[in-house]
C-alpha cells in the first residue's frame, strides 16, 4: 500500500456513515445490530484519523430526516449514543480528542443532551483532534437557521443586508467552525449527499465506497486519504501547469513587444 503523504493531510474529513441496516440485514440480524457494529467502526476511524493527524473529523450520525424512522430504531440509536458517550470517555481524553456536536440538538432527549454537553466540556481543552457528531443534523436546516439569524440581525439594525457575504454566513454555521470540508466520504454505495454539510462541502473532494459502515476501518480511511492525495484541487482556477504556461506565453509576448 502506498504511503500517506503527511504533508498533505486533509484538514477536515467528513463521513456519511451509511449501510448499517444492510450490514445487519445481510446477517439476518435486526437493524440495531448494524448500528452497534457501526459504533465499533466509529472508534476505529476516530483512532486512525487521530494517528494520521487529521485535525477535524465530522461524522453524520443522525439526520434531521432520520426522525421519521420507526420509533424503536430511533430509541435504539439514542441509547447507543448515550452508551458511547460513557464508554468512549477515556478514549477521547487519552487521545486528546475534543468532542463537539452540530445539529438541532434540542430535539434530542434531555439525558442525551446532558451527556453530550458534559463530555464536550470535559474534553474542551483536548488539542489533538476535534470530533464533531452531526446529530439531528440537516444541511438545509442549518442554512435555514443561519438565514433566520441574519434576518433578525438585519431587522434589529445590527447588520446591513449588503454586509452579508461568505464570511458572514460562515460565522452563522456551526459546521464551519472547523473550516470547509476537504474530503467527504460516504460508505454504503449510494452516491448522494443526503442533506449533509451543504455549504462546507462546496469544494470537498468526494469519495464513495461500497463498503458498509460497520466494515469501515483504519485501512479504509487510509485508502480514502490516499485517493484524496491523488486528486488535483482547482477551486475553479486553471491547472497549475497551464497557469505557468499562460504566464510564460504572456512574458514572451511582452519580450516580442519591446
Ligand atoms: C446509517 O445506516 C446510519 C443512520 C442513518 C443512523 P442506515 O441505517 O441508513 O443503513 P442502511 O442505509 O439502511 O443500510
Ligand atoms: C444519511 O443516511 C444519514 C446518516 C448517515 C446519518 P440515510 O440512510 O439517512 O440517507 P438516505 O436515506 O440513503 O439518503
Ligand atoms: Mg442509509
Amino acid at each position: 500500500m502506498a504511503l500517506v503523504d503527511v504533508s498533505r493531510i486533509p484538514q477536515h474529513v467528513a463521513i456519511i456513515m451509511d449501510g448499517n441496516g444492510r450490514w445487519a440485514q445481510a446477517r439476518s440480524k435486526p437493524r440495531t445490530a448494524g448500528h452497534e457494529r457501526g459504533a465499533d467502526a466509529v472508534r476505529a476511524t476516530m483512532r486512525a484519523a487521530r494517528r494520521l493527524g487529521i485535525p477535524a473529523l465530522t461524522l453524520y450520525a443522525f439526520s434531521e430526516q432520520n426522525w421519521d424512522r420507526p420509533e424503536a430504531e430511533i430509541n435504539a440509536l439514542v441509547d447507543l449514543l448515550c452508551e458511547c458517550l460513557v464508554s468512549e470517555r477515556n478514549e477521547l481524553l487519552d487521545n486528546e480528542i475534543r468532542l463537539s456536536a452540530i445539529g438541532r440538538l434540542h430535539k434530542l432527549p434531555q439525558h442525551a443532551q446532558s451527556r453530550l454537553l458534559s463530555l464536550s466540556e470535559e474534553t474542551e481543552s483536548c488539542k489533538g483532534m476535534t470530533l464533531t457528531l452531526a446529530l439531528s443534523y440537516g444541511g438545509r436546516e442549518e442554512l435555514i437557521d443561519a438565514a433566520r439569524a441574519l434576518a433578525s440581525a438585519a431587522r434589529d439594525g445590527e447588520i446591513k443586508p449588503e454586509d452579508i457575504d461568505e464570511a458572514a454566513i460562515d460565522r452563522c454555521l456551526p459546521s464551519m467552525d472547523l473550516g470547509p470540508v476537504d474530503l467527504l466520504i460516504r460508505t454504503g454505495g449510494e452516491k448522494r449527499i443526503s442533506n449533509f454539510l451543504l455549504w462546507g462541502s462546496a469544494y470537498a473532494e468526494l469519495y464513495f465506497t461500497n463498503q458498509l459502515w460497520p466494515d469501515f476501518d483504519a485501512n479504509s480511511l487510509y485508502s480514502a486519504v490516499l485517493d484524496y492525495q491523488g486528486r488535483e484541487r482547482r477551486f475553479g482556477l486553471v491547472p497549475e501547469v497551464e497557469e505557468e504556461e499562460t504566464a510564460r506565453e504572456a512574458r514572451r509576448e511582452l519580450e516580442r513587444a519591446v
Side-chain angles (χ1 to χ4, degrees):
M1 194 182 184
L3 280 183
V4 165
D5 177 353
V6 290
S7 68
R8 289 177 53 232
I9 293 293
Q11 299 297 289
H12 189 173
V13 174
I15 310 183
I16 302 173
M17 310 183 288
D18 197 25
N20 295 353
R22 280 164 283 164
W23 184 94
Q25 200 178 23
R27 287 159 183 79
S28 308
K29 291 181 175 179
R31 293 177 60 83
T32 48
H35 297 316
E36 280 162 21
R37 281 297 289 265
D40 296 336
V42 167
R43 193 180 309 111
T45 305
M46 185 169 89
R47 282 185 187 161
R50 175 74 179 92
R51 266 201 305 274
L52 280 174
I54 293 169
L57 175 68
T58 301
L59 301 177
Y60 205 6
F62 192 83
S63 77
E64 188 67 5
Q65 288 65 35
N66 289 151
W67 286 117
D68 290 330
R69 289 193 178 195
E71 203 181 322
E73 185 173 347
I74 295 175
N75 292 340
L77 281 165
V78 171
D79 289 348
L80 187 61
L81 169 70
C82 289
E83 281 168 29
C84 289
L85 290 172
V86 174
S87 64
E88 302 312 307
R89 176 183 174 273
N90 291 343
E91 175 81 26
L92 296 187
L93 289 169
D94 293 347
N95 290 295
E96 279 291 303
I97 300 172
R98 182 172 78 91
L99 180 72
S100 170
I102 51 170
R104 291 186 168 165
L105 304 174
H106 60 272
K107 292 178 80 172
L108 293 171
Q110 196 55 54
H111 65 285
Q113 288 184 50
S114 336
R115 286 191 190 191
L116 207 49
L117 185 68
S118 73
L119 193 52
S120 302
E121 282 173 356
E122 257 194 291
T123 57
E124 208 167 7
S125 58
C126 293
K127 298 270 186 288
M129 179 175 89
T130 300
L131 169 72
T132 305
L133 297 180
L135 292 161
S136 188
Y137 177 85
R140 285 180 172 173
E141 287 75 8
E142 193 186 20
L143 286 166
I144 291 168
D145 292 345
R148 286 180 184 157
L150 289 168
S152 303
R155 180 198 56 206
D156 299 342
E158 291 159 15
I159 52 162
K160 294 199 279 293
E162 56 273 25
D163 291 339
I164 299 174
D165 55 9
E166 209 174 297
I169 294 178
D170 283 353
R171 283 193 293 275
C172 289
L173 299 173
S175 65
M176 285 300 289
D177 282 357
L178 296 156
V181 179
D182 292 316
L183 170 61
L184 177 64
I185 300 172
R186 181 174 187 139
T187 62
E190 313 292 355
K191 293 181 179 63
R192 53 179 173 252
I193 305 291
S194 297
N195 201 19
F196 198 25
L197 307 164
L198 297 179
W199 177 273
S201 296
Y203 274 99
E205 294 297 327
L206 308 180
Y207 179 86
F208 298 104
T209 167
N210 288 331
Q211 204 170 27
L212 301 173
W213 177 250
D215 294 325
F216 198 85
D217 60 11
N219 280 333
S220 318
L221 183 70
Y222 298 151
S223 300
V225 170
L226 273 175
D227 194 275
Y228 165 87
Q229 293 187 333
R231 314 263 183 105
E232 188 192 26
R233 304 188 74 190
R234 290 198 286 277
F235 300 97
L237 308 179
V238 290
E240 258 172 44
V241 270
E242 269 180 42
E243 195 178 18
E244 280 165 22
E245 186 47 44
T246 314
R248 263 198 298 277
E249 184 54 40
R251 227 177 6 255
R252 278 197 289 270
E253 287 254 325
L254 207 66
E255 280 162 9
R256 274 196 294 274
V258 289

